[in-house]
Amino acid sequence: MNVEKLLKPMKYTFTLIGAASLALAIYLLMDTRAFLDSAAKAQGTVLDFEVARSSKSTSYYPIVAFRDTRGERITFTSSTGSYPPAYSRGEAVTVLYPPTNPGDAQLDGLFSLWGGTLISGLFAVIFGGVGVGMLAWDRKKRRKTEDLKAHGVEVMARFQSVELNTGFSVNGRNPFRILCHWKNPNTGEGHLFTSDNLWFDPTRYITSDTVPVLIDEKNPDRYWVNTSFLPRVAG
């Protein structure tokens, strides 16, 4: 599996899912507000439940009866189900419905009215946040690297080890990182440098005791470990 090829489109996919979810949330919000602006209200009664079962869950959808403004008895099944049932048989409930089409009635409840908007909004926050965060992080890292390539000072840090980055994984795989140490000759202060993530073990390709690192001369904690000496190996 080429992890690099998997990661590249992931940030765009997450961002697109987030954007689509946000658009859906806005549409559902406006649709519900329009429904509430024109809806009539009535008192209804829960008659029974429509049960939907799958291999993983069971949901109970209330079957409700009410009378519209003309006195006609209307029966409908709520589009929102739950487990356990959110209502009891015979329970009185408030119903909202379009006066011109009472059959499109809905229960006057938070999730019945706003469930779709809330779920879509949650997807927008999660996927959009991850996607935009990945894009912003990539851009920031790329700008820092480009700036160091243009203005940084190269130092030769002593190779220390190769470690697994256990704090990050993709499909159960952890990337490798090169660790190297450099002592500032001007201050005597030691600095530990860590390379970007590598999706192959670079140990056998490190044939020197030192690794080139570009640093900001004014702030050595701002650096980039130059791994261009490594071959391109499929992840």
Side-chain angles (χ1 to χ4, degrees):
M1 178 189 66
N2 193 313
V3 181
E4 294 285 358
K5 288 184 178 180
L6 177 65
L7 285 173
K8 284 181 180 179
M10 187 180 294
K11 51 182 174 285
Y12 299 106
T13 301
F14 275 41
T15 303
L16 287 174
I17 293 175
S21 298
L22 178 60
L24 178 59
I26 293 172
Y27 169 79
L28 293 174
L29 173 67
M30 300 302 293
D31 187 61
T32 300
R33 289 184 63 179
F35 170 75
L36 292 174
D37 286 343
S38 60
K41 183 180 291 188
Q43 291 301 307
T45 304
V46 177
L47 303 178
D48 206 340
F49 297 93
E50 183 176 302
V51 183
R53 291 187 174 89
S54 68
S55 59
K56 296 182 179 180
S57 65
T58 301
S59 296
Y60 292 83
Y61 295 82
I63 300 173
V64 180
F66 70 97
R67 292 191 181 277
D68 64 12
T69 53
R70 296 172 298 178
E72 185 177 347
R73 189 174 189 270
I74 307 295
T75 301
F76 74 97
T77 301
S78 173
S79 59
T80 304
S82 63
Y83 180 85
Y87 304 92
S88 304
R89 288 183 177 84
E91 182 176 347
V93 292
T94 301
V95 176
L96 298 171
Y97 65 94
T100 57
N101 191 9
D104 286 342
Q106 297 185 41
L107 291 173
D108 185 10
L110 175 64
F111 204 74
S112 298
L113 293 172
W114 303 104
T117 303
L118 292 172
I119 292 173
S120 298
L122 182 61
F123 268 68
V125 170
I126 294 174
F127 285 94
V130 171
V132 171
M134 291 174 70
L135 287 171
W137 173 257
D138 281 355
R139 183 180 179 184
K140 181 180 179 181
K141 186 172 70 173
R142 186 167 57 250
R143 289 179 65 181
K144 185 192 79 169
T145 301
E146 290 173 354
D147 181 65
L148 286 170
K149 285 181 178 179
H151 307 290
V153 175
E154 184 179 78
V155 300
M156 299 306 293
R158 184 166 295 278
F159 169 68
Q160 185 167 308
S161 64
V162 171
E163 69 167 13
L164 273 177
N165 181 6
T166 56
F168 180 70
S169 66
V170 175
N171 286 352
R173 289 188 58 186
N174 301 107
F176 294 87
R177 296 187 300 191
I178 297 173
L179 274 62
C180 50
H181 183 270
W182 175 71
K183 186 175 182 180
N184 191 327
N186 298 320
T187 65
E189 184 179 1
H191 296 271
L192 181 65
F193 300 133
T194 305
S195 74
D196 292 337
N197 289 324
L198 302 166
W199 291 101
F200 63 94
D201 186 350
T203 303
R204 66 191 178 105
Y205 301 107
I206 302 174
T207 58
S208 174
D209 292 336
T210 57
V211 177
V213 180
L214 291 173
I215 66 169
D216 182 335
E217 196 170 15
K218 296 180 180 179
N219 178 19
D221 289 331
R222 188 169 177 267
Y223 66 89
W224 174 65
V225 177
N226 186 353
T227 57
S228 60
F229 64 92
L230 296 173
R232 285 182 168 270
V233 177

